[in-house]
Amino acid sequence: MIANAESTPVLGDIWRQLDSAQPGSRVSTILRRWVTGDLGRLFSAPTNVDLGADIVGFNLRDLSEELVAPACLLLANWLWTALRRDRRPRHLLIDEVGLLLEHEPIRRFLIRLARRIRKYGGSLILVSQNPGDFFETKDGAVLATNPTILLLGSQKHSEALKLQKAFNLTDRQVNYLETAERGDFLLLAGPNRVPVHVMVPPWMDELIVKSRGH
């Protein structure tokens, strides 16, 4: 899935060696499902993505629940290797991160990444429609309180109260989150709490329209 060169071994190569040495074994039988058919095209083939491009995106939306964890772990392994081997400024953005927090191995990886990515010249941007989800687990709370900068948008009352407890927000700041409109955010940077309004620049609107046209 994330190999660059055609000569790079893939999971199917391991399975063939294993099946040859131990035909019909339990491990071989289980692994076969992941290296043949549709799953094989996903987990046992070189990628068709240009991993050296300036912007690289992976969409997991259409993956079944069963495949989310293994896909994320493969991506995590590639990402961690790339960060350590090629140290340069990078921004890693993970959308709907609350969904990934349901998987313990992924939570552990995200915590490791959050604590160490700056060492390798990168920054981690976590996006969630429901930031209160972070506080459902101890690991999630670590991720929520680790960033140096947070932008908190419009929240329901119950979610705003979770954020108030986590970030020591005043009642006035909680009210701001509950009444915030599109583009309104509460910027948290260290001890500072500042209401801001974010506007999309015209060039970004044009870029989105053009991309939809293709």
Side-chain angles (χ1 to χ4, degrees):
M1 178 181 176
I2 50 179
N4 273 317
E6 292 183 0
S7 58
T8 301
V10 294
L11 191 59
D13 298 322
I14 298 175
W15 170 72
R16 280 185 284 274
Q17 291 288 335
L18 180 63
D19 192 58
S20 176
Q22 303 177 29
S25 67
R26 183 172 181 271
V27 174
S28 175
T29 301
I30 293 174
L31 189 58
R32 182 180 186 278
R33 179 170 176 261
W34 296 88
V35 300
T36 58
D38 290 339
L39 290 181
R41 285 190 285 273
L42 180 62
F43 291 102
S44 185
T47 184
N48 58 1
V49 176
D50 180 7
L51 299 177
D54 291 335
I55 299 177
V56 180
F58 296 95
N59 186 355
L60 306 180
R61 183 185 61 185
D62 296 327
L63 287 181
S64 66
E65 181 69 17
E66 176 190 23
L67 301 181
V68 171
C72 285
L73 290 175
L74 283 176
L75 291 173
N77 181 68
W78 163 74
L79 175 65
W80 197 242
T81 300
L83 285 172
R84 290 183 297 174
R85 287 183 178 177
D86 183 12
R87 300 192 183 189
R88 55 189 172 90
R90 305 171 190 264
H91 298 295
L92 173 61
L93 188 152
I94 302 178
D95 195 10
E96 298 294 353
V97 70
L99 299 177
L100 300 181
L101 296 179
E102 299 174 2
H103 304 276
E104 183 178 352
I106 300 175
R107 289 202 309 269
R108 291 200 302 265
F109 170 74
L110 288 176
I111 289 177
R112 182 184 181 192
L113 191 64
R115 288 173 171 168
R116 302 185 65 185
I117 192 171
R118 285 190 289 271
K119 175 182 178 181
Y120 299 104
S123 64
L124 181 63
I125 304 169
L126 303 178
V127 182
S128 176
Q129 295 284 351
N130 301 300
D133 291 345
F134 283 88
F135 302 101
E136 297 299 323
T137 65
K138 180 180 179 181
D139 291 341
V142 171
L143 286 173
T145 55
N146 183 74
T148 54
I149 297 176
L150 291 98
L151 283 173
L152 303 178
S154 176
Q155 301 293 323
K156 297 179 180 178
H157 180 67
S158 59
E159 296 293 309
L161 291 180
K162 293 179 183 178
L163 297 177
Q164 181 180 33
K165 181 179 180 180
F167 300 110
N168 297 316
L169 303 181
T170 65
D171 291 340
R172 183 176 180 180
Q173 291 165 346
V174 169
N175 182 67
Y176 175 81
L177 293 178
E178 294 175 354
T179 58
E181 298 182 355
R182 187 180 183 88
D184 292 336
F185 293 92
L186 183 64
L187 172 65
L188 279 61
N192 302 305
R193 307 288 190 270
V194 182
V196 297
H197 183 75
V198 178
M199 298 181 64
V200 177
W203 66 264
M204 189 172 292
D205 281 331
E206 295 174 3
L207 181 63
I208 292 174
V209 171
K210 290 180 179 179
S211 65
R212 287 177 176 173
H214 295 289

